Amino acid sequence: MTRDVIVLTPTPPDRATLLAGLFAGGPDLRVDTAAESAVTQLCAPDGRPLVAIEASALVRVPAEVRRLLGVDAEGPVWWTEARASTAVPEAYALARSFAGRLATVLGGTVWPGGAVTTDVVPLRTDITAVPVPDTGIPAVDVLTPRALVVMQDRPVVPLSTWLADALRHAADGDRALQLVTPPASRLTLPLRTALRGLPHRWVVRDERQGLYDGLSGVRLRWSGGIFGPDLDERGAAILVEPFREPVVGAVRQLVLQARTRHHPDAELLLGGALEAVFRRLTGAAPRGWGTAEPAGNPWSRRQLTELARARAPRPTLLTVVGAGALATVRVLRTREGVEEDVTVVVGDTSTAGEESGAGDTSTAGEGSGTGDGRGAGAGSDAEGPDAVGPDAVESVARELHERHGLVSLLASYRSGRADLTVPARFEAPPVPVRLLVPEDSARGGAGIPASVRLGAGTGAARLYRLGDGSDAVAAWRALERLTGEGGAGGGAGTGPGPGRSRG
């Protein structure tokens, strides 16, 4: 598997420091660039890539370092990531020596921990026997006509810029992105969301159980250049035993999926609905945002809007982080206006402080105010007896409908880890509790759950009460009666909560 090394430094590596790091392999190795010079590659004399180094990124949200790496950062840090190929045994030592040299010169730290080395690592392997990976994409370990395979051995695998780039290449080439990890690895919710739906897969490689899908538990095999189900003699999928093991320390999570729509004028600021949700459910605005993880930019609705405007008409996909909550956002320009598809997952708020890392208190950037003069008082709902209970959900729905152009909303409860990471274990389907649809899409009659009307006229909406989360069967039956199917209604999307990829 490809192995990652990350160096965290208080200042960005300059050209001289980078060159000193790249000489970890001595003067015989070559230096090349890829991905429009965003990636530097340390190569063997014949051009075989050994280590790929991504351009350094400033992480101004220290809690992101704790969330993704499990280590504390006292302030903003520069994050420089190197990927070492396992095709050549010396590659990982080269990556660690590169990182050690940067940390020694700039006064930083290296992840994973251990003895930091700055030694020159001679290339002793007979590389003529090592196949040259013909991927052209630094993050990809195996490329076939049907799949891009990326191997990772990190305890927590995020939607890094490496993987975001691989996803774009997969989409452009009509291929599947298939991520291979050990059984102990966990995914972040943004990555789990990005991998939802076949043919993308999370492939777990277990020495005892073989290969299986980390999201469905189905046994897999490699065939025809892609991982697919390993069926039994009857043609049925096989569920592996490790997947059945319960998640240790699971807590209740709220999954809120919403779509808002805005008139595309010059004064539009995106992110208002998302900020309102965070304030209502966690008591604070989001801490950071970005197009990948770490989401290292301090929260700023203005900067978020500028990025989406610059990328239009292409959609913009974002990750947003806060105290005890994570969100993914898709901004899309349509004929009806500018739409934001938001999925927010809120964990056990009683542990939000300790899960969020090293006290980053700067939660609001430019344009982060709610615009209604209430400021921090808007978070008072998060201090009640049940900050993510059905009453809190209704409060969120009313505010979004009144102030932020809410089109549809689905709120569900599920059980998962308090840190919001996703293990390769069975997690029960979410239980829907509230559904909001436009009034002209509402249904009535026998068996339809109780509802309340929000607003008036053409902008009115109907908020259905599907239950309190205690009766999953009744809640799903109520949702099916409303939508005619077993999934989310009103176009809110599926997000990381409702749905697992099937074999």
Side-chain angles (χ1 to χ4, degrees):
M1 288 188 178
T2 304
R3 303 189 69 180
D4 297 345
V5 180
I6 298 166
V7 56
L8 307 171
T9 57
T11 58
D14 57 20
R15 183 181 294 273
T17 306
L18 284 173
L19 285 175
L22 291 168
F23 270 98
D28 295 333
L29 299 187
R30 292 174 41 182
V31 176
D32 201 353
T33 59
E36 299 179 348
S37 299
V39 174
T40 301
Q41 290 180 314
L42 190 59
C43 303
D46 67 347
R48 300 162 197 259
L50 304 174
V51 179
I53 301 142
E54 191 176 35
S56 301
L58 177 60
V59 179
R60 292 179 287 174
V61 183
E64 278 293 86
V65 179
R66 160 61 60 181
R67 182 175 72 90
L68 299 178
L69 301 183
V71 298
D72 290 322
E74 296 182 357
V77 293
W78 287 86
W79 177 298
T80 306
E81 190 159 337
R83 303 192 79 229
S85 170
T86 55
V88 178
E90 294 87 351
Y92 185 58
L94 281 169
R96 287 194 58 82
S97 180
F98 165 81
R101 289 172 178 229
L102 262 61
T104 300
V105 173
L106 301 176
T109 58
V110 176
W111 180 94
V116 175
T117 177
T118 58
D119 297 339
V120 173
V121 180
L123 186 61
R124 295 191 173 93
T125 298
D126 179 10
I127 59 173
T128 60
V130 178
V132 179
D134 186 22
T135 68
I137 310 167
V140 175
D141 296 285
V142 178
L143 178 66
T144 77
R146 301 177 66 189
L148 283 75
V149 180
V150 179
M151 300 182 181
Q152 291 269 267
D153 65 352
R154 291 161 72 153
V156 175
V157 186
L159 180 59
S160 63
T161 51
W162 300 100
L163 286 174
D165 180 64
L167 276 165
R168 286 192 292 271
H169 279 89
D172 292 342
D174 196 24
R175 291 182 171 98
L177 177 67
Q178 301 198 316
L179 174 71
V180 181
T181 76
S185 292
R186 307 188 307 276
L187 307 188
T188 63
L189 280 169
L191 179 55
R192 188 263 176 268
T193 303
L195 291 177
R196 73 167 183 257
L198 300 175
H200 300 325
R201 280 192 189 275
W202 174 17
V203 180
V204 176
R205 187 164 68 179
D206 190 312
E207 292 183 358
R208 295 175 298 172
Q209 298 290 332
L211 303 168
Y212 62 92
D213 190 301
L215 299 176
S216 69
V218 170
R219 183 173 295 166
L220 302 174
R221 65 188 179 95
W222 177 261
S223 177
I226 195 169
F227 289 103
D230 185 12
L231 306 179
D232 63 18
E233 60 276 5
R234 298 173 297 172
I238 304 170
L239 192 68
V240 300
E241 281 302 319
F243 188 77
R244 304 175 190 269
E245 297 174 6
V247 176
V248 177
V251 300
R252 183 180 65 165
Q253 297 175 353
L254 171 66
V255 183
L256 192 71
Q257 303 162 269
R259 172 172 293 174
T260 61
R261 186 176 296 145
H262 318 281
H263 181 70
D265 58 53
E267 301 302 317
L268 173 64
L269 274 183
L270 299 172
L274 183 64
E275 182 175 291
V277 172
F278 269 72
R279 287 190 180 276
R280 285 279 181 181
L281 300 181
T282 74
R287 289 182 169 180
W289 70 283
T291 56
E293 295 178 282
N297 304 310
W299 177 245
S300 169
R301 290 179 57 192
R302 188 174 303 279
Q303 292 177 5
L304 184 156
T305 303
E306 289 172 354
L307 175 65
R309 184 175 287 126
R311 292 177 57 87
R314 294 174 297 163
T316 297
L317 304 178
L318 303 171
T319 294
V320 179
V321 297
L326 280 171
T328 58
V329 185
R330 183 174 185 264
V331 181
L332 182 65
R333 178 68 185 269
T334 68
R335 287 180 294 181
E336 290 77 19
V338 179
E339 297 186 353
E340 293 176 270
D341 280 340
V342 174
T343 298
V344 183
V345 181
V346 184
D348 184 354
T349 55
S350 66
T351 61
E354 62 184 71
E355 292 295 341
S356 62
D360 171 30
T361 57
S362 84
T363 56
E366 273 186 64
S368 62
T370 60
D372 58 7
R374 291 181 297 170
S380 61
D381 292 312
E383 299 170 4
D386 193 348
V388 295
D391 290 342
V393 172
E394 290 202 9
S395 177
V396 167
R398 291 176 185 276
E399 180 175 351
L400 297 190
H401 184 264
E402 179 182 349
R403 301 176 181 273
H404 299 287
L406 182 64
V407 176
S408 60
L409 177 143
L410 176 65
S412 306
Y413 292 129
R414 60 176 299 224
S415 179
R417 288 177 56 97
D419 62 7
L420 304 183
T421 59
V422 180
R425 295 287 186 272
F426 173 75
E427 293 176 340
V431 182
V433 292
R434 294 293 185 271
L435 174 71
L436 180 141
V437 298
E439 180 69 17
D440 57 11
S441 299
R443 294 186 181 185
I448 297 299
S451 65
V452 293
R453 193 170 189 258
L454 304 185
T458 58
R462 182 67 59 176
L463 180 64
Y464 291 95
R465 294 164 173 164
L466 309 178
D468 61 3
S470 60
D471 190 337
V473 174
W476 276 107
R477 285 176 177 169
L479 184 62
E480 289 171 0
R481 286 193 293 268
L482 285 169
T483 65
E485 56 187 40
T494 55
R500 289 191 167 273
S501 58
R502 299 177 185 270

